[in-house]
């Protein structure tokens, strides 16, 4: 039986993609002995957390697939040394379901070595640990004295104060370069920029958390807002989420909450001009905001900001209108919060309206996790807060390309860098095996086996040429050259690609003949593999060449090509929805950019159950 998942549909805004007669989509036909090279993949730029129906649907589907224990784990970001993976961090991921990791300390190992650390971390995020949802991997790459990652491939980033002397355009361009280095290292989130305003250069040496280290962009809110926002936007241009910090600001305090307790700001008010940099960055689409742990006596004298519902919910959600992910400053080893038990710290932050608990010390997570899980199991109102926070985190991950993402490749992509694709969020791949009854992709083994070896679910596809031979002949050829299937949970249904012919849109076949050809191919595949093929098409071609037949709706899942940001709305007759969606011919991942209409567990089920 085909997989049918009912999700809300967004209004149709783009005409379904249809390759004109004689032209081809990325699932490329062979027209010469040597197919041409593919276009370079374009970088993904996504600033801010989208509230589109697509992102909400994908995140909601993943949320629904998670156990309560896995949901609670998504609320935590734990530290690991930047140059290695600590055993405690592995335990936090595999036993306590941690959904995010921060690379901490200092590493001069360079981009390639850091990418290996990221890959090792991602390999722990399996079905049992995170329901197959990739980790958010973060670090602190502000510049100056606060730069975790250096070495080959990483720039020496100047301090924020020095960055602030650049123009907005120059700083944004520079930040895009720095963000690209992080992305190449498998890092998705930069816990920067600092948007705290230090009142003056004279006070800076006495402002131990910020000014002492030149972490400020300037000494007035206008400069800080403009330059900090430019940094955040440059990160987004590179495909990295920036976390603006430390709301509502640490520029006026003297002591550092990381190493001192009782740190208090006695000047900042709820309508303070020093809040403007945060408002500017939020309005520009900042996806993540970090809370300070200082007290703000003019706003809420009784609670540190991270534990204050007045500040977190009232000011961040209310006054700023921020709908993204709210992350805490360190709640693991910071001196400011040691008066509370680890469990109380996590619960207080979440009750105040926060989403992601950061503990630099991974050994603190188990106590935090157990307390949060116990309360979620016993308190329905708190459990609802947990679900809302997890949904925001999953939505942010989805917008960064970490959920339900896949790719399709052919000989045009050559030898694919599969580990890099996996690090960038790809969890499935379709690989061209054959075309007609005479062509085999020369890169098939590297692509098909390589995707599997890094942990992806993969499948093979056949490019149909109905005018050249029968459906039976092409099905047998496909099966003989990589088009088989086994219910191992890692092999997708073989796919049949249907597109316009080189000389005739419908390959010279009538609608009835085309339906018969597809039926012969499909039935042969099922009889020999126990799996009906996934059918790749677009609605215009399907409507023109099959008369929008419904005869395959009960057996075959559909992979719909529709380029743009909106998912397919026009679906072949009889089908409830699409199963796969090709949204672009190039992008963050090599080859075509694809989405699966469901959770990772549902993807694995599609690769497990015979029809």
């Amino acid at each position: 039986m085909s997989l049918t998942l009912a999700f809300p549909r967004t209004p149709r805004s783009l005409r379904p993609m249809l390759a004109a007669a004689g032209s081809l989509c990325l699932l490329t036909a062979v027209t010469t002995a040597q197919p041409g090279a593919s276009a370079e993949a374009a970088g993904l730029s996504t600033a801010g957390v989208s509230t589109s129906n697509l992102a909400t649907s994908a995140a909601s589907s993943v949320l629904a697939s998670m156990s309560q224990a896995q949901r609670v784990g998504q609320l935590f970001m734990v530290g690991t040394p930047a140059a290695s993976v600590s055993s405690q961090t592995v335990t936090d991921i595999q036993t306590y379901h941690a959904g995010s990791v921060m690379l901490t300390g200092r590493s001069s190992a360079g981009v390639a070595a850091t990418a290996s650390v990221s890959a090792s971390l991602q390999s722990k995020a399996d079905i049992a640990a995170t329901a197959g949802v990739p980790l958010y991997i973060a670090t602190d790459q502000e510049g100056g004295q606060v730069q975790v990652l250096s070495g080959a491939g990483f720039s020496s980033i100047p301090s924020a104060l020095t960055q602030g002397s650049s123009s907005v355009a120059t700083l944004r361009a520079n930040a895009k370069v720095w963000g690209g280095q992080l992305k190449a290292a498998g890092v998705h989130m930069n816990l920067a920029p600092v948007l705290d305003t230090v009142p003056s250069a004279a006070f800076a040496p006495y402002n131990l958390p910020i000014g002492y280290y030149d972490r400020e962009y300037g000494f007035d809110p206008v400069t800080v807002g403009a330059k900090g926002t430019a940094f955040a936007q440059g990160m987004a241009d590179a495909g990295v989420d920036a976390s603006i910090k430390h709301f509502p600001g640490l520029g006026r305090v003297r002591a550092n909450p990381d190493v001192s307790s009782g740190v208090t700001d006695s000047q900042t008010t709820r309508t303070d001009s020093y809040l403007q940099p945060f408002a500017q960055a939020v309005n520009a689409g900042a996806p993540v905001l970090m809370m300070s742990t200082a007290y703000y006596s003019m706003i809420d004298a009784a609670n540190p900001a991270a534990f204050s519902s007045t500040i977190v919910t009232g000011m961040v959600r209310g006054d700023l209108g921020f709908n993204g992910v709210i992350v805490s400053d360190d709640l693991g080893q910071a001196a400011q919060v040691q008066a509370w038990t680890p469990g109380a710290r996590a619960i207080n932050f979440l009750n105040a309206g926060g989403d992601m608990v950061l503990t630099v010390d991974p050994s603190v997570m188990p106590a935090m996790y157990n307390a949060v899980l116990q309360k979620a199991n016993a308190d329905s109102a708190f459990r609802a807060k947990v679900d809302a926070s997890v949904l925001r985190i999953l939505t942010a991950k989805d917008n960064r390309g970490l959920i339900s993402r896949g790719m399709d490749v052919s000989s045009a992509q050559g030898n694919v860098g599969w580990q890099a694709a996996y690090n960038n969020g790809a969890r499935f791949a379709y690989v061209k095996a054959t075309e007609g009854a005479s062509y085999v992709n020369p890169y098939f083994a590297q692509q098909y086996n390589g995707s599997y070896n890094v942990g992806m679910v993969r499948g093979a596809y056949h490019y149909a040429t109905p005018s050249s031979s029968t459906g039976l002949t092409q099905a047998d050829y496909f099966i003989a050259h990589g088009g088989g299937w086994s219910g191992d949970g890692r092999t997708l249904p073989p796919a049949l690609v249907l597109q316009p012919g080189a000389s005739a849109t419908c390959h010279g076949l009538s609608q009835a003949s085309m339906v018969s050809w597809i039926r012969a191919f499909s039935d042969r595949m099922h009889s020999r593999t126990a799996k009906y093929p996934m059918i790749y098409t677009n609605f215009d071609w399907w409507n023109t060449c099959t008369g929008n037949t419904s005869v395959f709706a009960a057996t075959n899942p559909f992979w719909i090509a529709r380029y743009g940001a909106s998912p397919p709305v026009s679906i072949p007759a009889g089908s409830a929805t699409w199963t796969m969606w090709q949204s672009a011919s190039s992008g963050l991942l090599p080859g075509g950019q694809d989405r699966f209409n469901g959770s990772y567990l549902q993807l694995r089920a599609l690769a497990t159950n015979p029809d």
Side-chain angles (χ1 to χ4, degrees):
M1 179 176 292
S2 61
L3 182 69
T4 55
L5 303 170
F7 287 136
R9 297 177 180 177
T10 56
R12 184 177 185 180
S13 60
L14 295 173
R15 182 178 181 271
M17 182 280 297
L18 176 63
S23 66
L24 297 167
C25 315
L26 190 70
L27 299 184
T28 315
V30 175
T31 54
T32 64
Q34 281 291 341
S38 65
E40 289 293 324
L44 174 68
S45 178
T46 304
V49 173
S50 169
T51 55
S52 68
N53 287 343
L54 173 62
T56 303
S57 295
S60 296
S61 175
V62 173
L63 178 66
S65 75
M66 287 181 158
S67 66
Q68 187 64 58
Q70 290 170 330
R71 295 180 189 193
V72 169
Q74 285 292 311
L75 302 173
F76 291 91
M77 176 180 284
V78 298
T80 193
S84 62
V85 177
S86 80
S87 59
Q88 181 61 54
T89 302
V90 173
T91 298
D92 288 351
I93 297 168
Q94 295 185 326
T95 303
Y96 301 101
H97 314 290
S100 302
V101 174
M102 178 186 177
L103 305 181
T104 63
R106 295 293 184 270
S107 169
S108 59
V111 169
T114 305
S116 295
V117 172
S118 297
S120 178
L121 288 165
Q122 291 291 9
S123 72
K124 316 303 179 190
D126 57 19
I127 290 180
T130 65
V133 175
L135 302 169
Y136 243 146
I137 296 181
T139 197
D140 203 345
Q141 200 83 334
E142 298 172 19
Q145 297 185 63
V146 185
Q147 180 174 340
V148 171
L149 305 175
S150 62
F154 288 113
S155 300
S156 179
I157 304 174
S159 69
L161 190 59
T162 300
Q163 292 174 39
S165 64
S166 299
S167 69
V168 166
T170 297
L171 179 52
R172 180 169 179 169
N174 289 340
K176 181 179 179 180
V177 172
W178 304 329
Q181 295 163 359
L182 291 177
K183 187 173 73 170
V187 176
H188 316 106
M189 184 189 298
N190 188 3
L191 299 175
V194 169
L195 295 186
D196 309 330
T197 302
V198 178
S200 67
F203 181 68
Y206 304 100
N207 174 236
L208 297 186
I210 308 300
Y212 185 84
Y213 297 103
D214 293 341
R215 298 172 73 191
E216 72 279 16
Y217 281 91
F219 302 107
D220 65 89
V222 173
T223 300
V224 172
K227 303 306 173 65
T229 297
F231 182 97
Q233 290 176 322
M235 287 289 146
D237 293 340
V240 172
D241 285 337
S243 174
I244 59 175
K245 62 185 184 183
H246 311 79
F247 190 85
L250 287 173
R252 286 166 162 159
V253 303
R254 287 180 176 266
N256 185 343
D258 287 340
V259 296
S260 300
S261 60
V263 179
T264 302
D265 177 326
S266 59
Q267 300 178 60
T268 301
T269 67
R270 187 162 179 169
T271 58
D272 206 292
S273 64
Y274 277 32
L275 303 179
Q276 287 307 306
F278 295 97
Q280 183 173 347
V282 167
N283 290 337
V288 184
L289 180 149
M290 178 182 284
M291 296 300 305
S292 162
T293 56
Y295 287 92
Y296 295 82
S297 59
M298 299 294 289
I299 304 172
D300 181 354
N303 300 289
F307 299 164
S308 170
S309 59
T310 297
I311 297 176
V312 180
T313 299
M315 294 177 67
V316 178
R317 297 287 185 216
D319 298 350
L320 294 184
F322 181 68
N323 294 316
V325 174
I326 299 176
V327 62
S328 72
D329 203 344
D330 179 37
L331 298 183
Q333 59 188 20
Q336 180 83 344
V337 296
Q338 293 304 306
W340 290 266
T341 66
R345 296 171 215 162
I347 289 172
N348 288 348
F349 174 65
L350 296 169
N351 263 332
D355 300 313
M356 185 183 289
V357 177
L358 169 61
T359 173
V360 173
D361 181 355
S363 70
V364 182
M365 184 193 165
M368 291 179 163
Y369 169 89
N370 287 329
V372 172
L373 180 60
Q374 182 178 7
K375 186 169 180 62
N377 286 333
D379 184 338
S380 61
F382 183 75
R383 186 163 60 249
K385 287 186 176 183
V386 167
D387 285 351
S389 289
V390 175
L391 184 60
R392 276 190 286 269
I393 292 167
L394 293 175
T395 299
K397 286 186 174 185
D398 185 49
N399 286 330
R400 189 43 64 212
L402 296 177
I403 291 179
S404 302
R405 301 292 171 130
M407 53 197 279
D408 56 80
V409 295
S410 67
S411 61
Q413 280 68 52
N415 290 321
V416 174
W418 289 108
Q419 190 63 65
Y422 189 92
N423 292 348
N424 280 325
R427 289 299 178 266
F428 69 89
Y430 263 110
V431 176
K432 183 173 184 176
T434 53
E435 180 174 333
S438 61
Y439 172 82
V440 176
N441 174 10
Y443 294 93
F444 179 76
Q446 191 275 345
Q447 295 174 347
Y448 193 70
N449 296 329
S451 55
Y452 183 92
N453 289 339
V454 299
M456 292 188 197
V457 181
R458 48 71 158 122
Y461 77 80
H462 173 76
Y463 194 101
T465 57
S467 61
S468 67
S469 55
T470 68
L472 292 176
T473 297
Q474 293 194 27
D476 288 339
Y477 188 78
F478 181 33
I479 293 170
H481 297 90
W485 181 80
S486 62
D488 60 359
R490 298 281 303 283
T491 304
L492 291 167
L496 172 64
V497 172
L498 296 166
Q499 295 191 153
S503 59
T505 297
C506 300
H507 300 267
L509 274 64
S510 67
Q511 290 179 347
S513 295
M514 182 63 75
V515 170
S516 295
W517 192 99
I518 298 169
R519 172 56 72 199
F521 183 98
S522 179
D523 287 349
R524 183 68 140 214
M525 293 298 299
H526 181 251
S527 69
R528 294 194 58 188
T529 69
K531 202 73 173 174
Y532 285 104
M534 178 89 67
I535 296 177
Y536 170 99
T537 187
N538 65 73
F539 184 77
D540 283 0
W541 187 93
W542 190 256
N543 188 49
T544 299
C545 297
T546 75
N548 195 23
T549 182
S550 63
V551 301
F552 300 98
T555 53
N556 300 71
F558 278 90
W559 178 9
I560 304 298
R562 184 175 194 260
Y563 288 4
S566 299
V569 174
S570 297
I571 308 296
S575 298
T577 188
W578 50 276
T579 297
M580 298 283 188
W581 165 38
Q582 187 193 52
S583 62
S585 62
S586 64
L588 177 64
L589 304 172
Q593 310 297 291
D594 299 297
R595 294 289 301 267
F596 173 69
N597 201 352
S599 69
Y600 186 69
L601 290 176
Q602 290 167 315
L603 180 71
R604 292 288 296 267
L606 181 64
T608 302
N609 303 320
D611 296 330

